[in-house]
Amino acid sequence: MNIHDIARRLNISIGTISRALNDRAGVSAKTRQRVLDAAKRYGYSPNQSGRSLRRGATGMIGFMVIPNRDRTTKGEAFFMTIFDGLQSVLAAHGLDLVIHYCGADQDPETHVQRIVERRMVDGLIISQTNRSDPRIDYLIEKKLPFIAFGRSDTRRAHTWTDLDFEGVAEQSIDLLYRLGHRRIAIATAANELNFGYLYLEACRASLARHGIVLTDDLIFREPLTEAGGYSLGGRLLALRDRPTAVSLVQNTLTLGLYQRLSDAGVVPGHDLSIIGFDQSPNGDFLRPSLTQFRLSLTELGEWLGCQIIALIEARRAGRQIRHAHKIWPLQIEPGESAQPPAR
Amino acid sequence: MNIHDIARRLNISIGTISRALNDRAGVSAKTRQRVLDAAKRYGYSPNQSGRSLRRGATGMIGFMVIPNRDRTTKGEAFFMTIFDGLQSVLAAHGLDLVIHYCGADQDPETHVQRIVERRMVDGLIISQTNRSDPRIDYLIEKKLPFIAFGRSDTRRAHTWTDLDFEGVAEQSIDLLYRLGHRRIAIATAANELNFGYLYLEACRASLARHGIVLTDDLIFREPLTEAGGYSLGGRLLALRDRPTAVSLVQNTLTLGLYQRLSDAGVVPGHDLSIIGFDQSPNGDFLRPSLTQFRLSLTELGEWLGCQIIALIEARRAGRQIRHAHKIWPLQIEPGESAQPPAR
DNA sequence: AGCAGTCCCGTAAACGTTTACGAAGAAGCG
DNA sequence: CGCTTCTTCGTAAACGTTTACGGGACTGCT
């Protein structure tokens, strides 16, 4: 069932059919209605390949997700909530959201190349940026409208957004310092991941402002999983000069960390203060409750949607594009896990 | 840069270019190499829309994900691990995996209609099936190769796979009975979700085999989230004739449940036995450790990939298709949360 | 009546592929 | 050398749309 079939059935030309279905001028209200009725009756809807070919646009926006080595990209609620915000904006513009899952054995760069070369999407959002991320240069080169969710060290102009890792680091360190902590451990991500680097360096800077030098023995990098948190706990406990507090770059670590401490009879907030990062359901259901940060991910998703649409519109109109950069502030939510040090 | 540009540059016809790139017969090794070199040099790769239009196939396989009301579809590791297995099989066949995220405000059925009507995928996998799921009838009607991940009450032939909810229910109940429990609560999912129904009825049957009648006051339906688990804990504690054990349909409930019990000074395994369901990272990091089930999700993903490819091949070859049905057994992993009842 | 302007609508040319068909040349054979 | 067979390649017709263009039928005006 294609446009010709409908045209034949209605004794109307295919041009008119197309105009009617696409809300274009030059077709009377009566025939438009006839076309719409017929389309519904015969279950016709335009073939996307034909339409894409002619229009030079697929109507799809990609979101590329990379699992880390440990298969847990982040708390699932994290991306899901972003998708919700993004999806609603895109749908309002007749665009579809498709998520490109980059297999664990696949190279992210070749994966993005494949997406671009096959012209599968009109716009792309990449996440989990590395400190040096060739995907960004590639996408700039190929002139595909895209947004990087996460910063990188490239100097070339592009749209990006990111969480305020520096702000979180500063608030965390300041709070811990105010509470009286002087020996503070930092649990961050692999250095090649941009946010791990940012977080660590911001912590270092904040500590320095208080006259504290962050030594390497207080820097921990574990897989961002429950198991990583468990291992982190063990390593913290094993230190001969044990820190009185630890600041986490991601909440996936918390559950394992709590349990490792519990195994050793160490109470969070009492014997060791803990500050988490992004809110996750976990934080609300740990005892003692976790001091962490809150953020509107739906809003972030909506922002992504608006920006990618703006980029595409600008491209089509041939306008010069203004690349937006937005950093999302996070608000601290005090819990019981951050207390003055014991003694 | 399209096929004509390459043809002009090489002084070769477009037909030959196409044949060379698609590994078809009728082109000499020398010219094939020239074409491949040129394609690489000029960064050419065939336009997917044109190719899809001509071939009548998009080369993409869809996986439809529905968030539940609470935005947490399942443990994220759950789907991610499935995607890994699925993706690797598809990639080996030159197919792409795209995930269709159905927004929280979108109706799953209209979403699937949109996917089908726009001919966006050659095959589709739907998950989170309802007991009565119109998507299945629709997909059968539209003759799109698809697999339902989850059973439903339709009697029409189609390929599906599911976890062995009955087996898990039986093993759980049997274990609890053997341990001495007689008053056992069941935490299941909304009845419209097929697995919630299956699990509940299998528990009921297993209990009946031991001469126990499952009464309504011991059936709990909470949102499958940490918050739901917390609420479940409260409701269990409030019962005047408190059960000695509870069996959970999904592990997302565990964290909240543990904390609610902890708040009340109730110890899992001692005052209340708990059996979880699918393994999740959580289970390994709860104290007391959770008795739960294990399953190879990568394998499940690979199975999905092989089956959907088989369906598509059969369709193309015009062969009659044999619809596979596979139920995945889960192996119990004893933890400390299931013990003989106190007294 | 003649003419300009408006409103609908049909025609046909793209968009970038793949592939059936046929032709040209080479190779093999008597 | 003539014939057949095989290999290699070019030509052109699809695939299903969208849209620029032009033409007919009206309307309104002089």
Short mmCIF file of all heavy atoms in Angstrom, two decimals, chain A residues 45 48-49 52 71 73-74 76 84 87 96 99 101 106 114 117-119 226-227 230 255 259 263 281-282 285 287, chain B residues 45 48-49 52 71-74 76 84 87 96 99 101 104 106 114 117-118 226 230 255 259 263 281-282 285 287:
data_model
loop_
_atom_site.label_atom_id
_atom_site.label_comp_id
_atom_site.label_asym_id
_atom_site.label_seq_id
_atom_site.Cartn_x
_atom_site.Cartn_y
_atom_site.Cartn_z
N SER A 45 0.49 4.73 5.68
CA SER A 45 1.31 5.85 6.14
C SER A 45 2.60 5.84 5.33
O SER A 45 3.09 4.77 4.95
CB SER A 45 1.57 5.77 7.64
OG SER A 45 2.67 4.95 7.90
N GLN A 48 8.96 5.50 5.18
CA GLN A 48 9.98 6.37 5.75
C GLN A 48 11.24 6.44 4.88
O GLN A 48 11.87 7.50 4.79
CB GLN A 48 10.34 5.88 7.15
CG GLN A 48 11.26 6.79 7.92
CD GLN A 48 10.67 8.18 8.12
OE1 GLN A 48 9.47 8.38 8.07
NE2 GLN A 48 11.55 9.14 8.33
N SER A 49 11.59 5.35 4.24
CA SER A 49 12.80 5.37 3.42
C SER A 49 12.63 6.31 2.23
O SER A 49 13.52 7.11 1.93
CB SER A 49 13.12 3.96 2.93
OG SER A 49 13.32 3.10 4.01
N SER A 52 12.65 9.83 3.56
CA SER A 52 13.99 10.26 3.97
C SER A 52 14.84 10.56 2.75
O SER A 52 15.57 11.55 2.71
CB SER A 52 14.68 9.16 4.78
OG SER A 52 13.94 8.84 5.91
N ARG A 71 29.46 -3.04 32.61
CA ARG A 71 28.08 -3.19 32.18
C ARG A 71 27.09 -2.30 32.89
O ARG A 71 25.90 -2.41 32.69
CB ARG A 71 27.59 -4.62 32.40
CG ARG A 71 28.15 -5.60 31.45
CD ARG A 71 27.13 -6.00 30.42
NE ARG A 71 27.75 -6.91 29.46
CZ ARG A 71 28.29 -8.06 29.81
NH1 ARG A 71 28.29 -8.43 31.06
NH2 ARG A 71 28.83 -8.82 28.89
N THR A 73 26.14 1.32 33.15
CA THR A 73 26.45 2.62 32.60
C THR A 73 26.31 3.69 33.66
O THR A 73 27.07 4.63 33.74
CB THR A 73 25.49 2.95 31.46
OG1 THR A 73 25.03 1.73 30.93
CG2 THR A 73 26.18 3.73 30.40
N LYS A 74 25.29 3.55 34.43
CA LYS A 74 24.97 4.50 35.50
C LYS A 74 23.73 3.94 36.11
O LYS A 74 23.20 2.96 35.65
CB LYS A 74 24.67 5.87 34.89
CG LYS A 74 25.84 6.80 34.91
CD LYS A 74 25.38 8.15 35.35
CE LYS A 74 26.56 9.06 35.64
NZ LYS A 74 26.24 10.09 36.59
N GLU A 76 20.22 3.15 36.27
CA GLU A 76 19.37 3.14 35.10
C GLU A 76 18.41 4.31 35.10
O GLU A 76 18.11 4.88 34.08
CB GLU A 76 18.55 1.85 35.03
CG GLU A 76 17.14 2.01 35.48
CD GLU A 76 16.28 1.22 34.57
OE1 GLU A 76 16.83 0.54 33.69
OE2 GLU A 76 15.07 1.28 34.72
N ASP A 84 13.04 10.46 29.02
CA ASP A 84 11.67 10.94 29.13
C ASP A 84 11.56 12.40 28.73
O ASP A 84 10.69 12.77 27.94
CB ASP A 84 11.17 10.77 30.57
CG ASP A 84 10.30 9.53 30.69
OD1 ASP A 84 10.13 8.83 29.68
OD2 ASP A 84 9.79 9.29 31.79
N GLN A 87 12.49 12.75 24.95
CA GLN A 87 11.49 12.15 24.08
C GLN A 87 10.26 13.05 23.92
O GLN A 87 9.73 13.19 22.83
CB GLN A 87 11.08 10.81 24.70
CG GLN A 87 10.88 9.71 23.71
CD GLN A 87 9.44 9.61 23.31
OE1 GLN A 87 8.60 10.30 23.87
NE2 GLN A 87 9.16 8.78 22.33
N ASP A 96 11.69 11.21 16.14
CA ASP A 96 11.77 9.99 16.93
C ASP A 96 13.12 9.90 17.63
O ASP A 96 14.15 10.28 17.08
CB ASP A 96 11.61 8.77 16.03
CG ASP A 96 10.16 8.54 15.66
OD1 ASP A 96 9.34 8.49 16.59
OD2 ASP A 96 9.86 8.44 14.46
N ILE A 99 17.87 4.98 20.42
CA ILE A 99 19.05 4.87 21.26
C ILE A 99 20.01 3.88 20.62
O ILE A 99 19.62 2.75 20.31
CB ILE A 99 18.63 4.42 22.66
CG1 ILE A 99 17.78 5.52 23.28
CG2 ILE A 99 19.85 4.14 23.53
CD1 ILE A 99 16.71 5.03 24.18
N TYR A 101 22.92 1.61 21.09
CA TYR A 101 23.68 0.96 22.14
C TYR A 101 24.97 0.44 21.54
O TYR A 101 24.98 -0.38 20.63
CB TYR A 101 22.88 -0.20 22.72
CG TYR A 101 23.62 -0.94 23.78
CD1 TYR A 101 23.67 -0.44 25.08
CD2 TYR A 101 24.28 -2.12 23.51
CE1 TYR A 101 24.36 -1.11 26.07
CE2 TYR A 101 24.97 -2.79 24.48
CZ TYR A 101 25.01 -2.29 25.76
OH TYR A 101 25.70 -2.95 26.73
N GLN A 106 32.56 -3.20 21.03
CA GLN A 106 32.67 -2.29 19.90
C GLN A 106 33.41 -1.01 20.28
O GLN A 106 33.26 -0.51 21.40
CB GLN A 106 31.27 -1.91 19.42
CG GLN A 106 30.82 -2.64 18.20
CD GLN A 106 29.53 -2.09 17.71
OE1 GLN A 106 28.69 -1.62 18.48
NE2 GLN A 106 29.32 -2.13 16.40
N ARG A 114 29.72 4.66 11.92
CA ARG A 114 28.69 3.89 11.25
C ARG A 114 27.37 4.65 11.22
O ARG A 114 26.69 4.71 10.21
CB ARG A 114 28.52 2.56 11.99
CG ARG A 114 27.66 1.56 11.27
CD ARG A 114 27.55 0.29 12.11
NE ARG A 114 26.59 -0.61 11.53
CZ ARG A 114 26.86 -1.47 10.57
NH1 ARG A 114 28.07 -1.53 10.10
NH2 ARG A 114 25.91 -2.25 10.08
N GLU A 117 27.83 7.67 8.75
CA GLU A 117 27.98 7.32 7.35
C GLU A 117 26.70 6.78 6.73
O GLU A 117 26.40 7.05 5.58
CB GLU A 117 29.09 6.27 7.19
CG GLU A 117 30.48 6.88 7.26
CD GLU A 117 31.54 5.80 7.29
OE1 GLU A 117 31.18 4.62 7.33
OE2 GLU A 117 32.73 6.16 7.30
N ARG A 118 25.98 6.04 7.52
CA ARG A 118 24.74 5.48 6.99
C ARG A 118 23.61 6.49 7.05
O ARG A 118 22.49 6.19 6.72
CB ARG A 118 24.37 4.20 7.75
CG ARG A 118 25.51 3.19 7.74
CD ARG A 118 25.09 1.92 8.38
NE ARG A 118 24.24 1.15 7.50
CZ ARG A 118 23.70 -0.02 7.80
NH1 ARG A 118 23.91 -0.53 8.99
NH2 ARG A 118 22.96 -0.66 6.95
N ARG A 119 23.94 7.66 7.55
CA ARG A 119 22.95 8.74 7.62
C ARG A 119 21.67 8.27 8.32
O ARG A 119 20.58 8.43 7.81
CB ARG A 119 22.62 9.26 6.23
CG ARG A 119 23.82 9.91 5.55
CD ARG A 119 23.57 10.14 4.08
NE ARG A 119 24.79 10.49 3.37
CZ ARG A 119 25.75 9.62 3.07
NH1 ARG A 119 25.65 8.37 3.44
NH2 ARG A 119 26.82 10.03 2.42
N GLU A 226 28.62 -1.52 42.30
CA GLU A 226 28.49 -1.92 43.69
C GLU A 226 29.76 -2.65 44.14
O GLU A 226 30.27 -2.42 45.23
CB GLU A 226 27.27 -2.84 43.87
CG GLU A 226 25.95 -2.11 43.84
CD GLU A 226 25.47 -1.83 42.43
OE1 GLU A 226 26.19 -2.21 41.46
OE2 GLU A 226 24.40 -1.23 42.26
N ALA A 227 30.25 -3.52 43.26
CA ALA A 227 31.46 -4.27 43.61
C ALA A 227 32.64 -3.31 43.79
O ALA A 227 33.47 -3.50 44.69
CB ALA A 227 31.78 -5.29 42.51
N TYR A 230 32.40 -1.82 47.11
CA TYR A 230 32.80 -2.78 48.16
C TYR A 230 34.31 -2.81 48.28
O TYR A 230 34.88 -2.75 49.37
CB TYR A 230 32.25 -4.16 47.81
CG TYR A 230 32.32 -5.14 48.95
CD1 TYR A 230 31.30 -5.19 49.89
CD2 TYR A 230 33.40 -6.00 49.09
CE1 TYR A 230 31.36 -6.08 50.94
CE2 TYR A 230 33.47 -6.89 50.14
CZ TYR A 230 32.43 -6.94 51.07
OH TYR A 230 32.49 -7.82 52.12
N LEU A 255 26.22 1.50 47.66
CA LEU A 255 25.69 0.30 48.30
C LEU A 255 26.82 -0.64 48.73
O LEU A 255 26.87 -1.09 49.89
CB LEU A 255 24.73 -0.43 47.36
CG LEU A 255 24.02 -1.63 47.96
CD1 LEU A 255 23.17 -1.19 49.14
CD2 LEU A 255 23.17 -2.32 46.92
N GLN A 259 28.06 -1.66 52.61
CA GLN A 259 28.08 -3.03 53.11
C GLN A 259 29.46 -3.44 53.57
O GLN A 259 29.62 -4.16 54.56
CB GLN A 259 27.55 -4.01 52.05
CG GLN A 259 26.10 -3.75 51.64
CD GLN A 259 25.14 -3.65 52.80
OE1 GLN A 259 25.43 -4.04 53.92
NE2 GLN A 259 23.97 -3.09 52.54
N ASP A 263 30.25 -4.65 57.23
CA ASP A 263 30.95 -5.90 57.54
C ASP A 263 32.04 -5.67 58.58
O ASP A 263 32.36 -6.56 59.38
CB ASP A 263 31.62 -6.47 56.28
CG ASP A 263 30.59 -7.06 55.33
OD1 ASP A 263 29.40 -7.13 55.73
OD2 ASP A 263 30.95 -7.42 54.20
N PRO A 281 17.89 6.34 43.65
CA PRO A 281 16.92 5.82 44.62
C PRO A 281 17.65 5.25 45.82
O PRO A 281 17.18 5.33 46.95
CB PRO A 281 16.21 4.70 43.85
CG PRO A 281 16.49 4.96 42.43
CD PRO A 281 17.77 5.70 42.35
N ASN A 282 18.82 4.70 45.56
CA ASN A 282 19.57 4.09 46.65
C ASN A 282 19.74 5.02 47.84
O ASN A 282 19.51 4.66 48.97
CB ASN A 282 20.96 3.69 46.18
CG ASN A 282 20.92 2.42 45.37
OD1 ASN A 282 19.83 1.95 45.04
ND2 ASN A 282 22.07 1.87 45.06
N PHE A 285 17.37 5.15 50.58
CA PHE A 285 17.05 3.93 51.32
C PHE A 285 18.27 3.29 51.96
O PHE A 285 18.32 2.10 52.17
CB PHE A 285 16.34 2.94 50.40
CG PHE A 285 15.04 3.49 49.93
CD1 PHE A 285 14.93 4.06 48.69
CD2 PHE A 285 13.94 3.49 50.77
CE1 PHE A 285 13.73 4.61 48.27
CE2 PHE A 285 12.74 4.03 50.35
CZ PHE A 285 12.63 4.60 49.10
N ARG A 287 20.87 3.37 55.30
CA ARG A 287 20.91 3.77 56.71
C ARG A 287 22.34 3.74 57.18
O ARG A 287 22.98 2.69 57.01
CB ARG A 287 20.06 2.83 57.58
CG ARG A 287 18.61 2.84 57.23
CD ARG A 287 17.93 4.14 57.62
NE ARG A 287 16.53 4.15 57.20
CZ ARG A 287 16.12 4.57 55.98
NH1 ARG A 287 16.99 4.99 55.10
NH2 ARG A 287 14.84 4.54 55.69
N SER B 45 30.21 6.16 1.79
CA SER B 45 29.48 4.93 2.13
C SER B 45 28.04 5.13 1.72
O SER B 45 27.51 6.24 1.80
CB SER B 45 29.62 4.59 3.60
OG SER B 45 28.67 5.26 4.34
N GLN B 48 21.84 5.24 3.38
CA GLN B 48 20.98 4.20 3.92
C GLN B 48 19.54 4.32 3.43
O GLN B 48 18.87 3.32 3.22
CB GLN B 48 21.03 4.25 5.45
CG GLN B 48 20.31 3.12 6.15
CD GLN B 48 20.86 1.75 5.77
OE1 GLN B 48 22.00 1.63 5.31
NE2 GLN B 48 20.07 0.73 5.95
N SER B 49 19.08 5.54 3.26
CA SER B 49 17.69 5.72 2.81
C SER B 49 17.51 5.17 1.40
O SER B 49 16.54 4.46 1.13
CB SER B 49 17.31 7.20 2.84
OG SER B 49 17.46 7.71 4.13
N SER B 52 17.71 1.39 1.62
CA SER B 52 16.51 0.81 2.23
C SER B 52 15.35 0.84 1.24
O SER B 52 14.60 -0.13 1.12
CB SER B 52 16.10 1.58 3.48
OG SER B 52 17.13 1.62 4.41
N ARG B 71 9.47 4.96 36.39
CA ARG B 71 10.70 5.29 35.68
C ARG B 71 11.80 4.27 35.85
O ARG B 71 12.89 4.46 35.37
CB ARG B 71 11.28 6.62 36.16
CG ARG B 71 10.51 7.78 35.68
CD ARG B 71 11.25 8.46 34.55
NE ARG B 71 10.46 9.58 34.07
CZ ARG B 71 10.10 10.58 34.85
NH1 ARG B 71 10.46 10.62 36.09
NH2 ARG B 71 9.36 11.55 34.35
N THR B 72 11.55 3.22 36.56
CA THR B 72 12.62 2.25 36.67
C THR B 72 12.16 0.97 36.03
O THR B 72 11.28 0.29 36.53
CB THR B 72 13.06 2.01 38.12
OG1 THR B 72 13.28 0.64 38.32
CG2 THR B 72 12.02 2.50 39.07
N THR B 73 12.66 0.72 34.87
CA THR B 73 12.17 -0.39 34.07
C THR B 73 12.55 -1.71 34.71
O THR B 73 11.81 -2.66 34.72
CB THR B 73 12.80 -0.36 32.68
OG1 THR B 73 13.16 0.97 32.39
CG2 THR B 73 11.84 -0.85 31.68
N LYS B 74 13.72 -1.74 35.24
CA LYS B 74 14.29 -2.92 35.87
C LYS B 74 15.68 -2.52 36.26
O LYS B 74 16.10 -1.42 35.96
CB LYS B 74 14.37 -4.07 34.84
CG LYS B 74 13.23 -5.02 34.94
CD LYS B 74 13.73 -6.43 34.82
CE LYS B 74 12.63 -7.39 35.22
NZ LYS B 74 13.15 -8.65 35.65
N GLU B 76 19.11 -1.68 35.68
CA GLU B 76 19.62 -1.33 34.36
C GLU B 76 20.50 -2.42 33.81
O GLU B 76 20.51 -2.70 32.63
CB GLU B 76 20.42 -0.04 34.43
CG GLU B 76 21.90 -0.24 34.43
CD GLU B 76 22.53 0.77 33.53
OE1 GLU B 76 21.81 1.66 33.07
OE2 GLU B 76 23.72 0.66 33.29
N ASP B 84 23.92 -6.46 25.12
CA ASP B 84 25.25 -6.89 24.74
C ASP B 84 25.21 -8.18 23.93
O ASP B 84 25.82 -8.27 22.87
CB ASP B 84 26.12 -7.10 25.99
CG ASP B 84 27.02 -5.92 26.23
OD1 ASP B 84 26.94 -4.95 25.44
OD2 ASP B 84 27.80 -5.95 27.18
N GLN B 87 23.31 -7.49 20.57
CA GLN B 87 24.08 -6.64 19.68
C GLN B 87 25.18 -7.41 18.96
O GLN B 87 25.41 -7.23 17.77
CB GLN B 87 24.67 -5.50 20.51
CG GLN B 87 24.68 -4.15 19.85
CD GLN B 87 25.96 -3.91 19.15
OE1 GLN B 87 26.88 -4.70 19.24
NE2 GLN B 87 26.03 -2.81 18.41
N ASP B 96 21.89 -3.51 12.65
CA ASP B 96 22.06 -2.56 13.74
C ASP B 96 20.95 -2.71 14.76
O ASP B 96 19.80 -2.95 14.40
CB ASP B 96 22.05 -1.13 13.20
CG ASP B 96 23.35 -0.76 12.55
OD1 ASP B 96 24.39 -0.95 13.20
OD2 ASP B 96 23.33 -0.31 11.39
N ILE B 99 17.25 1.03 19.93
CA ILE B 99 16.33 0.87 21.04
C ILE B 99 15.28 1.96 20.98
O ILE B 99 15.61 3.14 20.90
CB ILE B 99 17.11 0.92 22.36
CG1 ILE B 99 18.05 -0.28 22.41
CG2 ILE B 99 16.16 0.90 23.54
CD1 ILE B 99 19.33 -0.03 23.11
N TYR B 101 12.67 3.89 22.80
CA TYR B 101 12.23 4.19 24.15
C TYR B 101 10.85 4.80 24.07
O TYR B 101 10.64 5.85 23.45
CB TYR B 101 13.21 5.15 24.81
CG TYR B 101 12.80 5.55 26.19
CD1 TYR B 101 13.05 4.70 27.27
CD2 TYR B 101 12.14 6.74 26.43
CE1 TYR B 101 12.66 5.03 28.53
CE2 TYR B 101 11.75 7.09 27.70
CZ TYR B 101 12.01 6.24 28.75
OH TYR B 101 11.61 6.58 30.00
N ALA B 104 7.11 8.00 28.86
CA ALA B 104 6.20 7.68 29.95
C ALA B 104 4.77 8.11 29.61
O ALA B 104 3.80 7.50 30.06
CB ALA B 104 6.67 8.34 31.23
N GLN B 106 3.55 8.16 26.59
CA GLN B 106 3.12 7.58 25.33
C GLN B 106 2.46 6.22 25.53
O GLN B 106 2.87 5.45 26.39
CB GLN B 106 4.33 7.40 24.41
CG GLN B 106 4.45 8.46 23.36
CD GLN B 106 5.57 8.13 22.42
OE1 GLN B 106 6.53 7.50 22.80
NE2 GLN B 106 5.45 8.56 21.18
N ARG B 114 3.63 3.27 15.29
CA ARG B 114 4.48 4.25 14.62
C ARG B 114 5.73 3.57 14.04
O ARG B 114 6.12 3.82 12.90
CB ARG B 114 4.87 5.32 15.62
CG ARG B 114 5.57 6.50 15.01
CD ARG B 114 5.94 7.49 16.11
NE ARG B 114 6.76 8.54 15.58
CZ ARG B 114 6.28 9.63 14.99
NH1 ARG B 114 4.97 9.78 14.87
NH2 ARG B 114 7.09 10.55 14.52
N GLU B 117 4.52 1.34 11.02
CA GLU B 117 4.02 2.08 9.86
C GLU B 117 5.12 2.82 9.12
O GLU B 117 5.11 2.91 7.91
CB GLU B 117 2.96 3.09 10.31
CG GLU B 117 1.62 2.44 10.59
CD GLU B 117 0.64 3.43 11.19
OE1 GLU B 117 1.05 4.58 11.46
OE2 GLU B 117 -0.52 3.05 11.39
N ARG B 118 6.05 3.33 9.86
CA ARG B 118 7.13 4.06 9.21
C ARG B 118 8.20 3.10 8.70
O ARG B 118 9.20 3.53 8.17
CB ARG B 118 7.72 5.08 10.16
CG ARG B 118 6.66 6.02 10.72
CD ARG B 118 7.28 7.09 11.57
NE ARG B 118 7.91 8.10 10.74
CZ ARG B 118 8.56 9.15 11.21
NH1 ARG B 118 8.70 9.29 12.51
NH2 ARG B 118 9.09 10.03 10.42
N GLU B 226 12.65 0.84 44.75
CA GLU B 226 13.13 0.85 46.11
C GLU B 226 12.04 1.39 47.05
O GLU B 226 11.82 0.84 48.13
CB GLU B 226 14.38 1.73 46.23
CG GLU B 226 15.64 1.10 45.67
CD GLU B 226 15.72 1.21 44.14
OE1 GLU B 226 14.81 1.80 43.53
OE2 GLU B 226 16.68 0.68 43.58
N TYR B 230 10.19 -0.33 50.25
CA TYR B 230 10.11 0.29 51.58
C TYR B 230 8.68 0.24 52.09
O TYR B 230 8.40 -0.14 53.22
CB TYR B 230 10.59 1.74 51.50
CG TYR B 230 10.85 2.36 52.84
CD1 TYR B 230 12.07 2.20 53.48
CD2 TYR B 230 9.87 3.12 53.49
CE1 TYR B 230 12.32 2.76 54.71
CE2 TYR B 230 10.10 3.68 54.73
CZ TYR B 230 11.33 3.51 55.34
OH TYR B 230 11.57 4.05 56.56
N LEU B 255 16.19 -3.42 48.29
CA LEU B 255 16.90 -2.41 49.07
C LEU B 255 15.96 -1.68 50.03
O LEU B 255 16.22 -1.56 51.23
CB LEU B 255 17.62 -1.42 48.15
CG LEU B 255 18.51 -0.42 48.86
CD1 LEU B 255 19.60 -1.13 49.63
CD2 LEU B 255 19.09 0.57 47.87
N GLN B 259 15.78 -1.82 54.21
CA GLN B 259 15.93 -0.63 55.05
C GLN B 259 14.72 -0.42 55.95
O GLN B 259 14.85 0.01 57.10
CB GLN B 259 16.19 0.61 54.19
CG GLN B 259 17.47 0.54 53.37
CD GLN B 259 18.71 0.17 54.18
OE1 GLN B 259 18.72 0.25 55.41
NE2 GLN B 259 19.76 -0.25 53.48
N ASP B 263 14.92 -0.28 59.87
CA ASP B 263 14.36 0.81 60.67
C ASP B 263 13.57 0.26 61.86
O ASP B 263 13.49 0.88 62.91
CB ASP B 263 13.42 1.67 59.83
CG ASP B 263 14.21 2.53 58.85
OD1 ASP B 263 15.45 2.52 58.93
OD2 ASP B 263 13.59 3.19 58.00
N PRO B 281 23.10 -6.67 41.12
CA PRO B 281 24.30 -6.38 41.90
C PRO B 281 23.93 -6.18 43.36
O PRO B 281 24.67 -6.54 44.26
CB PRO B 281 24.81 -5.08 41.30
CG PRO B 281 24.17 -4.96 39.97
CD PRO B 281 22.87 -5.70 40.05
N ASN B 282 22.74 -5.64 43.58
CA ASN B 282 22.30 -5.39 44.95
C ASN B 282 22.41 -6.61 45.84
O ASN B 282 22.95 -6.56 46.93
CB ASN B 282 20.84 -4.94 44.97
CG ASN B 282 20.72 -3.49 44.55
OD1 ASN B 282 21.70 -2.91 44.09
ND2 ASN B 282 19.56 -2.91 44.72
N PHE B 285 25.36 -7.42 47.75
CA PHE B 285 25.90 -6.42 48.68
C PHE B 285 24.90 -6.02 49.74
O PHE B 285 24.94 -4.92 50.26
CB PHE B 285 26.39 -5.20 47.89
CG PHE B 285 27.50 -5.57 46.98
CD1 PHE B 285 27.28 -5.77 45.64
CD2 PHE B 285 28.78 -5.75 47.49
CE1 PHE B 285 28.31 -6.15 44.81
CE2 PHE B 285 29.81 -6.12 46.66
CZ PHE B 285 29.58 -6.33 45.32
N ARG B 287 23.23 -7.09 53.49
CA ARG B 287 23.53 -7.87 54.68
C ARG B 287 22.26 -8.00 55.50
O ARG B 287 21.65 -6.99 55.80
CB ARG B 287 24.61 -7.16 55.52
CG ARG B 287 25.94 -7.03 54.80
CD ARG B 287 26.60 -8.39 54.62
NE ARG B 287 27.86 -8.27 53.90
CZ ARG B 287 27.98 -8.33 52.58
NH1 ARG B 287 26.92 -8.54 51.83
NH2 ARG B 287 29.15 -8.19 52.01
#
